[in-house]
Amino acid sequence: MEPFDFASQDSVYVQIFLNPPASLKELPLKQFYRLNLPHRLKFDKKGSEIIPTAEFRNLPPDPIYTLGMDVPQAWLVRPHVSHHDLDNIHLASFTGLDKIEGVEAIFDLDYIVVEGHARDPLTGLPPRGLQLQLSTSNSTPIADTQVVANLGYIQFKVKPGVFQLGIREGYGRDVFEMESVGNEGWNSPPVTKAGTEITVTSLEGLTLYPRFKRKPGMETADVLIAPVKDKGTVVDQVMGKKDVEVMQQDQAEINIFTVASGLLYERFVGIMILSVLRNTKSTVKFWFIENFLSPSFLEFIPHLAKAYNFQYELVTYKWPSWLRAQKEKQRVIWGYKILFLDVLFPMDLKKVIFVDADQIVRADLKELVDLDLQGAPYGYTPMGDDNEEMEGFRFWKTGYWHDFLKGRPYHISALYVIDLVRFRQLAAGDRLRGSYQALSADPNSLANLDQDLPNNLQYEVPIFSLPEDWLWCETWCSKDRLHRAKTIDLCQNPMTKEPKLSRARQIPEWDEYDREIANFAKKLADEGIIRSAAYATGVDDLANVGSAKAEKKGEETQPHHKADEAADSGSPSTAELSSQEAKQEGAEPVAPRDEL
């Protein structure tokens, strides 16, 4: 339904009264919005359509802005074209042509979200852990997911079209059969009458209510725990082993996922990638959370992957509307690191390693892939405990954490390995989301969301403690064991507050990797292969956002910010600029609070 346009109605009179407070200590305005919701198409004198845009003018120059889109729940939107760092827009630092033209970005609508709530009609409960898939008309799977315990929720990302919803091949087909696809509401007709087709034709997305009934004899079966089959004869075992090897050839031997936001951290990702590849002979695949990546990175990464012979894939997941949202972007990123591990990756991926963007790897991560986690769904490294200078900052030794842990270690979230099979068997994702939903009701809880949450839940979802050499950082660890470090993390030092780049350059190989990435990017830019020269820029320039002094007030030319939305012109979307105080990019949050 098209929104009512008051401006076009002659009989409507609107008067707005403003009642601001008498005095302010600081400007309460932290976000600027521009609505892009035209009620009709517009054309220029030549008959060409005027593309709807959202423009920001006369903004205060000193804050650092983040440009984003506030869109309907069913949309997955990201910037596709921009030569600027949309996470760190500092108008006071602009010079030359940038100061005149400002920032321009084009956002595209990539996918429509199909959501659903599955249930077993006999019990009314969700068929937790049941793996589902969407297929094309010729039965080619295009997306998969699993039913989570939280409201029986399922989610797919698709383009408009007609698809088949079904149970993914595996033990789930032995336990359940589909009774209804649920595309006509809660009481949708059964598949015998309506079939298994779903149709996505609207920008509003689609909500399904599928029903799955248990097969006879499977009334008590747990779909998360498949029975162990008889190994059979020696010949069967040998043949079976070969089959498994053939099936797993499509998977890389090492799978790494990471998340980065802003050009500086994306540069760190390139350095991290080189450090991984230099220390292994195994095949490597990187999984990037697409939500936060810049157009510059997405333009650059295919060329880096081809030149250095690694695979990569973009993954994304729309934050569900029923799960309490985070407002600050850093906390949203932390949420994506831990809350959706069971549904973020393809169902056939067995094990994945999270590596922080700013880490340097010095060992073969295949060792971590092959490590026995002894039944735990994931393994983390305990926080370093042998740098005596930092004893007063070890928050986990006092207060809540001291009483809760009872001698167990508090683990750092800069590096961890996840056994996705075991993770799903234990319904660890459901447990983490349930705990998060309860704790996040208190805004003072989960100061370091991605780290506090698994540590606080380790009595229910066990953590395997990795050997200390798997992660070293100068803040918490003794320099006496730096030579044994398998990875080095640039974690913040709350005592010295030393800039991240200063610490990075103390690592001998870091500058070598950085120069290699910069030279490769410069070559691509000089040859016209990539349009953005951001990756050829010196890393110091990327880090110095906000360090320049603001221009004098009263200049005639004001910066011009424009977000051209490439989505449907009649669909609701809002461009959003969020501001924060000017700071050096890369500064990390303060040490975690001593409470949940």
Side-chain angles (χ1 to χ4, degrees):
M1 180 178 179
E2 189 172 283
F4 187 73
D5 181 18
F6 286 101
S8 64
Q9 306 301 314
D10 295 333
S11 59
V12 176
Y13 173 75
V14 178
Q15 187 174 9
I16 299 175
F17 295 91
L18 301 179
N19 185 24
S23 61
L24 291 173
K25 292 183 179 180
E26 64 173 345
L27 187 67
L29 188 61
K30 301 296 183 183
Q31 293 177 316
F32 299 87
Y33 284 89
R34 296 293 183 271
L35 183 66
N36 180 37
L37 185 58
H39 59 281
R40 63 173 66 92
L41 295 177
K42 294 182 179 180
F43 302 90
D44 59 21
K45 295 180 180 179
K46 297 181 179 180
S48 300
E49 181 188 353
I50 300 175
I51 302 299
T53 62
E55 298 186 0
F56 296 83
R57 295 180 179 271
N58 302 322
L59 293 170
D62 291 330
I64 293 179
Y65 296 99
T66 295
L67 177 62
M69 297 283 291
D70 189 351
V71 298
Q73 176 66 21
W75 289 13
L76 283 171
V77 172
R78 65 175 173 85
H80 271 252
V81 178
S82 180
H83 300 306
H84 292 82
D85 187 348
L86 301 183
D87 281 328
N88 297 282
I89 302 171
H90 188 226
L91 303 181
S93 301
F94 280 20
T95 59
L97 194 60
D98 281 344
K99 190 171 184 179
I100 298 173
E101 295 185 348
V103 175
E104 181 172 347
I106 299 177
F107 288 77
D108 279 3
L109 173 59
D110 282 345
Y111 296 101
I112 299 294
V113 175
V114 174
E115 298 179 295
H117 301 278
R119 73 186 192 276
D120 179 343
L122 183 62
T123 64
L125 299 175
R128 183 187 70 176
L130 180 62
Q131 296 185 0
L132 308 178
Q133 67 183 20
L134 282 184
S135 304
T136 60
S137 57
N138 61 1
S139 301
T140 302
I142 60 166
D144 58 21
T145 190
Q146 76 170 19
V147 179
V148 303
N150 313 92
L151 305 177
Y153 184 73
I154 58 174
Q155 182 184 123
F156 299 99
K157 60 173 187 177
V158 298
K159 308 281 188 180
V162 179
F163 309 96
Q164 304 283 339
L165 177 65
I167 299 174
R168 187 172 175 269
E169 185 176 355
Y171 185 52
R173 290 186 180 179
D174 297 336
V175 178
F176 286 97
E177 61 182 342
M178 182 182 291
E179 182 181 274
S180 173
V181 74
N183 57 1
E184 296 182 29
W186 188 258
N187 296 313
S188 296
V191 294
T192 53
K193 293 183 178 180
T196 60
E197 284 188 352
I198 68 168
T199 305
V200 181
T201 58
S202 169
L203 291 175
E204 295 179 355
L206 180 65
T207 300
L208 305 174
Y209 298 92
R211 302 192 301 271
F212 300 91
K213 63 180 181 181
R214 290 178 177 270
K215 292 183 176 181
M218 291 294 181
E219 290 78 10
T220 60
D222 188 345
V223 74
L224 291 171
I225 306 176
V228 179
K229 296 182 179 180
D230 185 7
K231 294 182 179 180
T233 65
V234 174
V235 174
D236 292 336
Q237 293 179 44
V238 173
M239 294 301 294
K241 184 176 181 181
K242 287 184 178 179
D243 289 342
V244 171
E245 288 175 349
V246 170
M247 290 174 61
Q248 293 184 349
Q249 281 182 354
D250 291 337
Q251 291 188 8
E253 295 169 282
I254 302 173
N255 289 273
I256 296 170
F257 92 95
T258 192
V259 58
S261 180
L263 294 181
L264 177 65
Y265 272 77
E266 290 174 351
R267 177 69 156 265
F268 285 157
V269 167
I271 295 169
M272 181 268 287
I273 288 173
L274 291 190
S275 72
V276 170
L277 299 177
R278 288 287 193 273
N279 290 282
T280 187
K281 295 181 179 179
S282 302
T283 56
V284 182
K285 183 170 184 176
F286 291 91
W287 302 79
F288 303 110
I289 299 181
E290 186 177 9
N291 309 43
F292 312 105
L293 298 176
S294 72
S296 298
F297 182 84
L298 294 173
E299 181 186 34
F300 174 71
I301 194 65
H303 304 288
L304 188 69
K306 183 178 180 180
Y308 287 87
N309 193 30
F310 65 85
Q311 304 172 52
Y312 77 94
E313 188 168 330
L314 306 177
V315 291
T316 188
Y317 196 78
K318 186 76 173 186
W319 194 291
S321 58
W322 49 264
L323 190 66
R324 184 173 290 106
Q326 291 292 325
K327 296 180 180 179
E328 298 177 12
K329 187 168 186 177
Q330 180 61 63
R331 294 183 63 80
V332 173
I333 291 174
W334 287 345
Y336 272 91
K337 282 177 59 177
I338 189 64
L339 290 175
F340 310 117
L341 294 176
D342 52 339
V343 289
L344 187 61
F345 304 101
M347 294 294 111
D348 59 352
L349 187 62
K350 308 302 182 188
K351 189 173 279 190
V352 67
I353 302 169
F354 176 83
V355 182
D356 247 355
D358 60 357
Q359 273 187 268
I360 290 291
V361 176
R362 286 183 163 182
D364 189 346
L365 290 183
K366 186 65 164 59
E367 298 177 35
L368 205 52
V369 174
D370 296 336
L371 187 65
D372 182 5
L373 300 182
Q374 300 179 13
Y378 39 39
Y380 288 72
T381 307
M383 292 283 276
D385 200 28
D386 49 1
N387 184 356
E388 296 180 359
E389 294 179 355
M390 301 302 297
E391 191 60 33
F393 292 91
R394 290 191 169 90
F395 58 90
W396 61 92
K397 290 190 173 184
T398 61
Y400 171 84
W401 285 112
H402 175 268
D403 297 337
F404 173 80
L405 293 172
K406 294 182 173 60
R408 294 193 180 202
Y410 181 91
H411 301 83
I412 189 170
S413 62
L415 173 81
Y416 50 98
V417 56
I418 308 105
D419 181 341
L420 290 171
V421 175
R422 185 61 175 157
F423 190 91
R424 291 173 179 134
Q425 286 177 346
L426 294 178
D430 292 324
R431 297 169 188 263
L432 286 163
R433 286 185 291 270
S435 180
Y436 162 81
Q437 188 75 348
L439 292 172
S440 61
D442 179 359
N444 295 319
S445 294
L446 300 174
N448 269 4
L449 194 163
D450 60 316
Q451 197 165 270
D452 288 346
L453 187 60
N455 276 288
N456 191 61
L457 206 62
Q458 60 180 297
Y459 289 98
E460 295 181 46
V461 183
I463 297 175
F464 177 81
S465 295
L466 300 176
E468 65 179 8
D469 289 345
W470 270 111
L471 190 142
W472 185 94
C473 72
E474 182 185 24
T475 303
W476 308 110
C477 304
S478 169
K479 290 183 174 61
D480 293 339
R481 59 182 176 91
L482 172 59
H483 66 283
R484 306 198 317 258
K486 295 186 176 184
T487 69
I488 300 175
D489 185 65
L490 303 180
C491 50
Q492 184 195 32
N493 189 321
M495 183 168 62
T496 65
K497 296 181 173 59
E498 183 183 14
K500 184 159 290 193
L501 284 182
S502 297
R503 297 200 307 281
R505 290 190 167 112
Q506 296 171 25
I507 304 171
E509 64 267 40
W510 192 91
D511 269 326
E512 175 189 341
Y513 292 144
D514 180 51
R515 286 194 301 271
E516 188 170 343
I517 288 290
N519 291 338
F520 179 71
K522 185 177 185 302
K523 180 175 180 292
L524 294 176
D526 290 345
E527 294 175 358
I529 297 175
I530 61 174
R531 291 172 295 176
S532 174
Y535 278 86
T537 304
V539 70
D540 292 287
D541 294 332
L542 297 177
N544 285 334
V545 174
S547 62
K549 293 182 179 180
E551 300 290 339
K552 293 181 180 180
K553 296 181 180 180
E555 289 188 16
E556 294 181 2
T557 304
Q558 292 290 343
H560 168 211
H561 290 253
K562 179 168 63 175
D564 292 329
E565 289 114 22
D568 182 86
S569 61
S571 303
S573 55
T574 305
E576 173 189 355
L577 270 173
S578 301
S579 66
Q580 54 185 316
E581 292 183 2
K583 61 180 177 64
Q584 183 174 350
E585 165 60 14
E588 297 179 347
V590 296
R593 296 169 60 95
D594 182 25
E595 59 181 326
L596 274 172

